[in-house]
Amino acid sequence: MDSSGTRRQNTRRKLFEAAVTLIAEQGFSSTTVDEIAERAGVAKGTVYYNFASKTVLFEELLRHGIELLTDSLQAAADETAERGGSQVDALDAMIRAGLDFITRYPSLTQLYVAELWRTNRAWQSTLMQVRQKAIAVIESVLTEAVAAGELSTELDIPLTASALFGMVLVAALDWQSFQPERSIDEVHSALSRLLQGRVSGAGR
């Protein structure tokens, strides 16, 4: 990538970081473009050069964040496969990858969960699309697990994929908000036991 492309990528990253922090602190409606620019350390015009409006900025922020999460889940599944692990091992690795992501981007995760249930936002369609991409990664592993005989053929794959995705998000936010003294290893261990006892047990 040339230097101008790198500069623009870095600027967009700074704007994303500023926007997600401010919106988490005071809400979307109360956050202004001036505040985002100031927090990012750029001119107001730079915001509009990169994004047509605050709404577009937020929509792209959500898209970018969930795509990063999706990439993390896919990488976890791929690395497990390369090591010769089972599909249930891959699901467990994806849980850890999800927890790692949420630990790195807690404000983004809080925003995503909050916005997921709103129906009057301009970015709702985009949010549903990128959510489905993340769910599809989990569905793929579940499908392979059923085909390999690791899980029951009676498993409801779409619902199970959504449940696993939601479990990690909600458990992680609960952990950070109400049980911050717990380590990520403890949280992963608890969710791993739940996975092994519920999902894996379906095939036995």
Side-chain angles (χ1 to χ4, degrees):
M1 183 180 293
D2 60 29
S3 58
S4 61
T6 301
R7 281 198 302 273
R8 186 174 189 209
Q9 186 179 66
N10 289 337
T11 297
R12 288 170 68 90
R13 178 182 53 76
K14 286 194 292 185
L15 290 171
F16 281 153
E17 290 174 353
V20 73
T21 302
L22 284 165
I23 293 169
E25 289 174 356
Q26 57 194 34
F28 176 79
S29 298
S30 299
T31 299
T32 67
V33 171
D34 286 324
E35 289 173 320
I36 293 171
E38 181 180 357
R39 181 70 65 94
V42 302
K44 182 177 180 180
T46 301
V47 180
Y48 290 115
Y49 175 76
N50 286 275
F51 304 99
S53 65
K54 184 179 71 170
T55 296
V56 172
L57 166 58
F58 192 54
E59 182 172 356
E60 286 300 308
L61 166 64
L62 289 170
R63 181 198 296 274
H64 175 69
I66 303 308
E67 285 179 349
L68 284 177
L69 173 57
T70 301
D71 289 344
S72 296
L73 297 177
Q74 186 65 64
D78 292 343
E79 289 167 7
T80 303
E82 290 172 5
R83 294 196 305 269
S86 69
Q87 298 304 319
V88 172
D89 290 336
L91 291 170
D92 187 58
M94 292 163 80
I95 288 175
R96 179 58 184 240
L99 292 174
D100 285 338
F101 177 88
I102 294 164
T103 301
R104 289 198 305 272
Y105 306 105
S107 295
L108 177 61
T109 306
Q110 290 169 8
L111 283 177
Y112 168 74
V113 172
E115 292 300 320
L116 190 60
W117 306 111
R118 298 181 189 273
T119 58
N120 61 339
R121 299 294 206 186
W123 49 79
Q124 186 67 18
S125 176
T126 294
L127 197 55
M128 291 300 99
Q129 290 173 14
V130 293
R131 172 190 174 276
Q132 188 51 45
K133 288 181 179 179
I135 298 293
V137 174
I138 305 173
E139 286 183 354
S140 177
V141 174
L142 288 170
T143 298
E144 292 181 20
V146 171
E150 294 181 42
L151 302 180
S152 170
T153 56
E154 297 179 357
L155 187 72
D156 186 325
I157 291 175
L159 185 59
T160 301
S162 295
L164 289 172
F165 185 69
M167 176 184 75
V168 173
L169 288 177
V170 174
L173 291 178
D174 184 89
W175 158 44
Q176 294 185 339
S177 298
F178 304 112
Q179 304 179 65
E181 72 282 359
R182 290 183 178 272
S183 69
I184 189 171
D185 290 333
E186 285 182 282
V187 177
H188 176 219
S189 178
L191 296 184
S192 180
R193 284 195 295 272
L194 184 61
L195 170 71
Q196 296 291 340
R198 298 300 182 184
V199 176
S200 297
R204 294 173 184 169

